[in-house]
Amino acid sequence: MIEADNLAHLTEIINLAAIQQLPKATEHFVSDLHGEYDAFDHILRNGSGSIREKIDTLFGDTLSAAEQTELCFLIYYPEELLQEKQLDDSDWQTLMEQLVTVARFTSSKYTRSKVRKALPTAFAYILEELLYQYDADFNKEAYYNAIFEQIIALDAAPLFCQELAFLIQRFVVDHLHVLGDIYDRGPAPDKIIDRLMALPSLDIQLGNHDILWIGSFCGSLPCLANMLRIAARYGNLSLLQDGYGIDLSEAIAFSRKHYTENQAFYPRHTVDALSAEQQEEAMLLQQAFTIIQFKLEASVIQRRPEFDMQDRMLLHLIDANRQTIHMNQGYPLINACFQTIDHTAPYRLTSEEETMINDLMTQIQASIRLKQHVQFLAEKGTLFQQANGNLLFHGCIPCQENGDFLAFTFGDKSYQGKDLLLFFQDCLLQSLATPHLQDDLATDMIWYLWCGEGSSLFGKKAMKTFERYFIADSVTHQEQKNAYYRLRENEAFCCHVLAAFGLPATGHIINGHTPVKVRKGETPIKANGRLLVIDGGLSRSYQSVTGIAGYTLLSNSFGMTLAAHQPFTNRQRAIEERIDIVSKKRLVVRQSERILVGQTDIGVQLQKESLSLKNKMKQQRHQR
């Protein structure tokens, strides 16, 4: 006779074994979102084309292409489209039946318990009945019809359809991987993070632009100056002012006092048109924060000789008349805005600059919304992730030309490869824990992650911000990439990287960070499919170079598929004209047999739990 305690263990063991036989749920990979909220939101809503594929599977023989598109967009944007619908009772029932069919199909990979937890409270009981409809044609046909009839009679059909649409979006993708660069360039990274915070299952591999915002909150003044400069450069000052409540009035007054018209510093093209006054403010502020950035960076370089970045201190090489800089040779200066640089002490902040940047730091650290977003990034974000045999990180693993990992010494210890990334991660956590410290190694290391040679996020020898602004000769602008970006074309090298992280050669490396220039013939699939780059230019500022608007990756029980996306104009036009943005899909990995949960990381955990329960049952038997 099985005792009550053992019966509970027995039931759970059976449950865990059964779950492992389910098909692997879908993972969705996105990267380099760069504040493009509308495009990102659309990709989440359509599951990178997954919903359209499922509708074609279910209704390809019964609905026309136009009718399928209409059903797709109703699932993507039920808030707007259901308001347009003027349907009679029969049409409402047909629509509900179609949505229930899609919801049942998309939830079929999950246990009943998991589905139940995802159901909206208001309709949970009804939806559970409809989703597990085993005998609708016989004993329960009238029962199900009565449910639909009452929903319509009570004027609840639009709300019910809306909840079904959101449920389908939820079921299509089980887990989201974000491979970095949520911030900068685009106008609404704050909205992206709000959206991410509402998702049930995700992880984030931090990017170099995310690090700037985290570093700013953690007290790094050079990170803050860089972040402010980039916000001005892309005309995104409203993100700071309206999104995070930062008062820029004193900074604007300072920049008006000391800087003048300079065409090179007007903001780049933005999605939302800026007024003439806003453009002028951004132009002046970008000059001010650029000079403050160079001064603040020098203070870190001077106190951290181990960073080996002395060649990035350039202000003292400007001649007294501010027309020439003497590096390896003399270069005439363009776009000069060196009014606040003292030739005798070029890296010293003026009293006004110091007051202004410290005030802005105080405001940044006092912003409640920014604190919530940074804490979320700290909770979900890492510099790399190992998931189901794959290695995910934003940029690179710093390497030598021969493929060996580059070693960097900080303090009294040398780091390379995985250990280097773990060291950076520890510094990040230390700085987050002590945001009041501004010149400690951990906080300085966050700035190093932005632009240091050993950074896995930067991946270049040196950042040439000064040269790009102030020297006409484009040869000086070139930023030498780390050898990783050449070596990653080689399958043996990729297997070497996977092995260094304890992963099998059958795994994949998945990167973001470097836009794939499709227009120039580049491909996101490298090293015979062992490495995938999914930054295809979601940011509008890249699309003239890439030729597309980003890649995303889907991994399900059948394999891995890359989706290439068309440029996304805006939400309103997409809805009005029914414009989807998935232009092409390409199967990267095809499985000869479907992958089951038991073959995933979750399966490994379930196996451990099952073994633990079996051991408990044995112990209880022996005790008796």
Side-chain angles (χ1 to χ4, degrees):
M1 188 71 177
I2 299 177
E3 300 291 334
D5 288 346
N6 275 346
L7 184 58
H9 293 332
L10 181 67
T11 302
E12 184 61 13
I13 290 169
I14 294 170
N15 179 49
L16 295 175
I19 292 172
Q20 292 178 58
Q21 299 308 308
L22 289 170
K24 171 190 176 294
T26 300
E27 299 171 86
H28 194 183
F29 301 77
V30 299
S31 179
D32 296 83
L33 308 176
H34 284 301
E36 299 288 352
Y37 172 75
D38 282 351
F40 169 65
D41 181 57
H42 186 85
I43 286 169
L44 283 191
R45 287 172 181 266
N46 76 0
S48 284
S50 294
I51 288 175
R52 182 172 289 276
E53 288 181 346
K54 287 175 170 42
I55 285 176
D56 181 61
T57 299
L58 292 168
F59 305 110
D61 295 332
T62 57
L63 296 180
S64 67
E67 289 170 331
Q68 289 183 49
T69 294
E70 189 66 18
L71 183 55
C72 282
F73 271 82
L74 190 144
I75 293 172
Y76 304 163
Y77 298 104
E79 314 98 301
E80 286 90 346
L81 267 67
L82 286 167
Q83 292 179 8
E84 303 173 3
K85 296 293 181 185
Q86 300 293 326
L87 304 179
D88 59 27
D89 290 358
S90 175
D91 289 336
W92 274 118
Q93 178 156 343
T94 298
L95 177 57
M96 286 189 285
E97 288 174 347
Q98 289 173 340
L99 292 173
V100 167
T101 299
V102 180
R104 187 184 303 125
F105 186 53
T106 56
S107 66
S108 60
K109 289 183 179 181
Y110 307 121
T111 65
R112 192 160 183 164
S113 172
K114 183 166 183 173
V115 171
R116 185 183 297 120
K117 291 174 183 176
L119 298 178
T121 303
F123 296 110
Y125 172 75
I126 294 171
L127 281 169
E128 189 168 359
E129 288 291 300
L130 293 171
L131 292 179
Y132 295 96
Q133 179 177 309
Y134 299 116
D135 53 358
D137 293 334
F138 300 101
N139 298 331
K140 289 188 176 180
E141 182 177 6
Y143 171 75
Y144 292 121
N145 283 333
I147 290 175
F148 291 128
E149 289 168 3
Q150 286 302 305
I151 290 172
I152 295 167
L154 295 169
D155 294 326
L159 178 59
F160 185 73
C161 290
Q162 178 174 296
E163 294 294 352
L164 269 171
F166 289 144
L167 198 61
I168 291 165
Q169 293 178 27
R170 163 69 184 86
F171 288 150
V172 163
V173 172
D174 184 58
H175 186 88
L176 180 70
H177 303 283
V178 182
L179 273 77
D181 278 0
I182 297 167
Y183 277 95
D184 290 339
R185 295 196 174 91
D190 55 331
K191 292 182 180 179
I192 292 177
I193 295 187
D194 286 340
R195 183 83 159 88
L196 293 175
M197 290 172 73
L199 296 180
S201 183
L202 82 158
D203 55 68
I204 299 170
Q205 291 72 63
L206 298 170
N208 48 318
H209 288 272
D210 307 320
I211 284 293
L212 267 189
W213 285 74
I214 294 172
S216 298
F217 183 81
C218 287
S220 171
L221 289 171
C223 281
L224 177 60
N226 271 279
M227 181 263 277
L228 294 166
R229 174 182 63 81
I230 293 171
R233 182 174 176 79
Y234 288 91
N236 289 330
L237 297 176
S238 62
L239 168 64
L240 291 162
Q241 296 165 308
D242 302 329
Y244 290 122
I246 307 302
D247 181 4
L248 296 176
S249 58
E250 292 299 322
I252 292 169
F254 168 85
S255 65
R256 286 191 183 281
K257 177 180 178 181
H258 293 284
Y259 294 93
T260 58
E261 175 82 8
N262 194 324
Q263 286 293 323
F265 287 86
Y266 273 98
R268 293 190 171 190
H269 173 72
T270 60
V271 177
D272 299 319
L274 301 179
S275 68
E277 183 180 8
Q278 288 172 322
Q279 291 187 52
E280 182 188 35
E281 289 175 351
M283 176 268 295
L284 296 170
L285 285 172
Q286 189 183 169
Q287 294 178 71
F289 292 135
T290 297
I291 300 306
I292 291 172
Q293 170 191 321
F294 295 143
K295 292 180 178 182
L296 290 170
E297 288 178 335
S299 64
V300 178
I301 293 169
Q302 288 170 327
R303 69 172 171 260
R304 303 293 174 199
E306 64 269 37
F307 288 1
D308 192 23
M309 295 177 68
Q310 288 77 12
D311 62 341
R312 289 294 82 208
M313 294 177 59
L314 299 174
L315 299 186
H316 67 285
L317 302 178
I318 299 173
D319 65 14
N321 63 14
R322 299 172 178 170
Q323 294 182 1
T324 307
I325 186 168
H326 301 276
M327 299 193 295
N328 56 323
Q329 67 180 69
Y331 293 98
L333 292 167
I334 59 173
N335 310 319
C337 56
F338 307 129
Q339 294 91 313
T340 65
I341 295 176
D342 182 346
H343 186 68
T344 62
Y347 300 108
R348 184 173 61 203
L349 292 173
T350 68
S351 60
E352 288 178 286
E353 288 173 329
E354 186 171 7
T355 297
M356 179 182 69
I357 199 70
N358 285 329
D359 171 67
L360 289 169
M361 175 61 75
T362 299
Q363 290 190 61
I364 286 288
Q365 293 188 325
S367 171
I368 295 173
R369 188 165 184 239
L370 181 57
K371 181 178 181 180
Q372 291 172 338
H373 287 178
V374 169
Q375 288 177 336
F376 173 75
L377 291 175
E379 176 189 351
K380 298 293 184 180
T382 56
L383 293 181
F384 69 94
Q385 179 79 14
Q386 296 170 214
N388 294 324
N390 299 316
L391 178 61
L392 288 56
F393 53 89
H394 179 69
C396 73
I397 307 297
C399 293
Q400 301 178 49
E401 289 296 330
N402 66 0
D404 293 341
F405 296 137
L406 267 173
F408 295 88
T409 300
F410 301 107
D412 57 356
K413 191 172 179 181
S414 180
Y415 304 90
Q416 61 179 339
K418 182 178 180 179
D419 288 340
L420 179 65
L421 270 63
L422 289 172
F423 169 71
F424 288 147
Q425 183 71 34
D426 287 343
C427 290
L428 191 60
L429 294 175
Q430 289 175 33
S431 188
L432 282 162
T434 56
H436 58 284
L437 299 178
Q438 293 189 350
D439 56 3
D440 58 312
L441 176 61
T443 303
D444 287 345
M445 195 61 68
I446 299 180
W447 172 76
Y448 182 85
L449 273 169
W450 164 247
C451 60
E453 181 183 4
S455 168
S456 60
L457 303 181
F458 177 49
K460 297 177 184 178
K461 180 74 174 176
M463 187 175 285
K464 301 294 185 70
T465 307
F466 183 96
E467 290 89 335
R468 288 172 181 265
Y469 272 121
F470 300 118
I471 299 177
D473 190 342
S474 62
V475 172
T476 68
H477 302 177
Q478 300 305 310
E479 297 176 340
Q480 180 184 340
K481 287 185 176 181
N482 184 264
Y484 173 88
Y485 293 103
R486 174 182 60 81
L487 294 165
R488 69 180 182 178
E489 303 282 351
N490 182 277
E491 186 173 5
F493 170 76
C494 292
C495 291
H496 164 62
V497 173
L498 288 166
F501 284 79
L503 294 172
T506 53
H508 301 82
I509 298 171
I510 305 172
N511 290 165
H513 188 53
T514 50
V516 180
K517 299 172 184 176
V518 176
R519 184 164 286 167
K520 294 185 177 181
E522 292 184 6
T523 173
I525 305 171
K526 302 181 183 299
N528 294 325
R530 195 57 52 210
L531 187 146
L532 305 169
V533 182
I534 60 170
D535 178 7
L538 193 67
S539 172
R540 292 173 186 240
S541 61
Y542 284 140
Q543 290 170 13
S544 61
V545 176
T546 62
I548 62 170
Y551 286 104
T552 53
L553 180 70
L554 294 164
S555 174
N556 59 26
S557 59
F558 294 106
M560 302 176 79
T561 304
L562 269 172
H565 297 277
Q566 299 169 337
F568 188 81
T569 51
N570 59 65
R571 177 188 179 111
Q572 183 177 350
R573 184 182 172 195
I575 293 171
E576 290 176 351
E577 300 181 23
R578 306 300 193 257
I579 301 172
D580 221 335
I581 65 171
V582 177
S583 58
K584 187 176 181 181
K585 282 196 168 186
R586 181 175 178 181
L587 187 65
V588 180
V589 179
R590 184 192 298 275
Q591 297 297 141
S592 56
E593 296 182 1
R594 292 188 78 178
I595 302 173
L596 304 179
V597 170
Q599 299 166 275
T600 68
D601 293 343
I602 292 175
V604 172
Q605 183 59 39
L606 295 179
Q607 291 160 24
K608 290 179 181 178
E609 292 176 19
S610 181
L611 181 60
S612 175
L613 289 172
K614 289 176 181 178
N615 289 334
K616 286 180 181 178
M617 289 181 68
K618 288 180 181 179
Q619 291 171 4
Q620 288 172 356
R621 287 197 198 100
H622 291 318
Q623 289 170 0
R624 295 189 184 95

